[in-house]
Amino acid sequence: MRSGHSLAFNQFEEIVSFITIRASNRSETTVLKLLEKYKYSMSQAISPFQINWEAESNWNSDELPDKIKGSSLLIPIPKSSTNGLMLREKGYSESIESLSEYHFLSDGTFILLTNYGNTIAEERIWFLSENVRCRSSVVRTSNGGGIMQTSFASEIRRLTS
Amino acid sequence: MRSGHSLAFNQFEEIVSFITIRASNRSETTVLKLLEKYKYSMSQAISPFQINWEAESNWNSDELPDKIKGSSLLIPIPKSSTNGLMLREKGYSESIESLSEYHFLSDGTFILLTNYGNTIAEERIWFLSENVRCRSSVVRTSNGGGIMQTSFASEIRRLTS
């Protein structure tokens, strides 16, 4: 369950999504290609993973096909145990390849920062229990000023074999 | 703008609230009464404040008058610069006086934990800019298991003289 808040327009969006997260192998072609693009080696990457999503929104989303259904490969490149880079095939607020920075707060909350050029996105993820997590995001204009949208998701993990 | 997620029922709630936060004086009668109730002294308290709210929900909220309009006095009792207790005239998930514990994460995110007896609430507040903040909450059953509801608010501060 995800809610979007458009602050300037005082508008709510309600989205229900099914998200699949699957570990990838570091030697898969797509992983190697993304690493090569950013000039990192397989040994610098840990736990690459593939995200697939299908979303239903209460807004007419004909114009946003990328947000309705899609997939993205993500590759963490740790710098230390608490921070690093995240290579992404597709980003959140703009559907282009992107390089993000991540770090963990003192309680394990995960923060992901991405500069897309026109916009800057901050996502944060924290777990309420082993199988329930919250994920929030904010999208700002990259000149620093405007906060365009916030969102919040409550996500329940369904383990599959 | 606040969104509620009822996880078991897959239901969204949309709430628009006007919230007033005003510093109280430590020597006000209501402050002294709340301190006395919990056996704290005026010198242990810092920056007590009064919150008033008026909310409009897209749910029929006739049965929940407390959530529509109300006020609460809060008194922080710091134990250190990063944690302490919060005395509250009224709590979030149950409208009774409550004693909460608070602490700050490494990036300044504020966490407030309240045990109401039947339920446990965690609220977290973080600032996106000087005048925009996010506030999320989770309400659990106090036997530890069930997550009943999450919520997320995007709040814009309007300074008044």
Side-chain angles (χ1 to χ4, degrees):
Chain A
M1 299 178 71
R2 186 155 66 92
S3 293
H5 294 176
S6 292
L7 300 182
F9 303 104
N10 212 30
Q11 280 184 320
F12 291 88
E13 183 178 9
E14 298 174 358
I15 306 118
V16 175
S17 303
F18 292 89
I19 300 169
T20 308
I21 302 177
R22 194 174 49 75
S24 297
N25 195 301
R26 285 192 298 177
S27 60
E28 283 177 31
T29 312
T30 51
V31 173
L32 294 173
K33 269 192 176 167
L34 192 56
L35 283 170
E36 194 184 355
K37 185 183 158 70
Y38 288 104
K39 314 236 181 280
Y40 288 98
S41 67
M42 201 166 82
S43 63
Q44 292 171 287
I46 52 160
S47 308
F49 56 101
Q50 179 84 28
I51 300 185
N52 292 277
W53 64 90
E54 277 188 55
E56 277 180 38
S57 166
N58 69 335
W59 286 10
N60 179 350
S61 299
D62 291 346
E63 297 163 52
L64 300 167
D66 294 335
K67 304 249 165 138
I68 294 305
K69 194 171 179 174
S71 71
S72 184
L73 172 68
L74 291 96
I75 308 177
I77 309 281
K79 287 183 187 174
S80 76
S81 61
T82 58
N83 77 311
L85 298 173
M86 183 80 81
L87 313 185
R88 290 216 263 192
E89 228 184 349
K90 280 180 185 172
Y92 169 70
S93 72
E94 297 178 27
S95 290
I96 49 171
E97 284 179 5
S98 62
L99 185 67
S100 304
E101 290 182 28
Y102 73 81
H103 64 275
F104 291 95
L105 301 184
S106 46
D107 74 335
T109 299
F110 176 78
I111 311 271
L112 190 66
L113 296 164
T114 309
N115 191 328
Y116 289 104
N118 293 322
T119 55
I120 296 169
E122 178 187 317
E123 292 175 72
R124 46 175 68 201
I125 296 176
W126 65 102
F127 281 80
L128 303 183
S129 67
E130 196 182 336
N131 292 316
V132 180
R133 71 177 194 180
C134 293
R135 188 160 56 98
S136 76
S137 75
V138 53
V139 179
R140 305 169 193 266
T141 55
S142 59
N143 57 24
I147 292 168
M148 299 163 71
Q149 215 201 14
T150 61
S151 83
F152 176 71
S154 306
E155 301 180 328
I156 301 172
R157 172 159 53 188
R158 292 176 188 170
L159 295 169
T160 55
S161 55
Chain B
M1 299 178 71
R2 186 156 66 92
S3 293
H5 294 176
S6 292
L7 299 183
F9 304 103
N10 211 30
Q11 280 184 320
F12 291 88
E13 183 178 9
E14 298 174 357
I15 305 119
V16 175
S17 303
F18 291 88
I19 300 169
T20 308
I21 302 177
R22 193 174 48 76
S24 297
N25 195 302
R26 286 193 298 177
S27 60
E28 283 177 30
T29 312
T30 51
V31 173
L32 295 173
K33 269 191 176 168
L34 191 56
L35 284 170
E36 193 184 354
K37 185 183 160 68
Y38 288 104
K39 316 239 181 276
Y40 287 98
S41 67
M42 201 166 82
S43 64
Q44 292 171 287
I46 54 159
S47 309
F49 56 101
Q50 180 84 28
I51 300 185
N52 293 277
W53 64 89
E54 276 188 58
E56 278 180 38
S57 165
N58 69 335
W59 287 10
N60 179 349
S61 298
D62 292 347
E63 297 163 51
L64 301 166
D66 294 336
K67 303 250 166 140
I68 294 306
K69 195 171 178 175
S71 70
S72 183
L73 172 68
L74 291 96
I75 308 177
I77 309 281
K79 288 182 184 175
S80 76
S81 61
T82 59
N83 78 310
L85 299 173
M86 183 80 81
L87 314 184
R88 290 215 264 192
E89 226 184 348
K90 280 181 185 170
Y92 169 70
S93 73
E94 297 177 27
S95 290
I96 50 171
E97 284 180 5
S98 62
L99 185 66
S100 304
E101 289 182 30
Y102 74 81
H103 64 274
F104 291 95
L105 301 184
S106 47
D107 75 334
T109 299
F110 176 79
I111 311 271
L112 189 67
L113 297 164
T114 310
N115 192 328
Y116 289 104
N118 294 322
T119 55
I120 295 169
E122 178 187 318
E123 291 174 75
R124 44 176 69 201
I125 295 175
W126 65 102
F127 280 80
L128 303 184
S129 67
E130 197 182 334
N131 293 316
V132 181
R133 70 177 195 181
C134 292
R135 187 161 57 98
S136 76
S137 74
V138 53
V139 180
R140 306 168 193 266
T141 56
S142 59
N143 56 25
I147 292 168
M148 300 164 70
Q149 216 202 14
T150 61
S151 82
F152 176 71
S154 306
E155 301 180 328
I156 300 172
R157 172 159 53 188
R158 292 177 189 169
L159 295 170
T160 55
S161 54

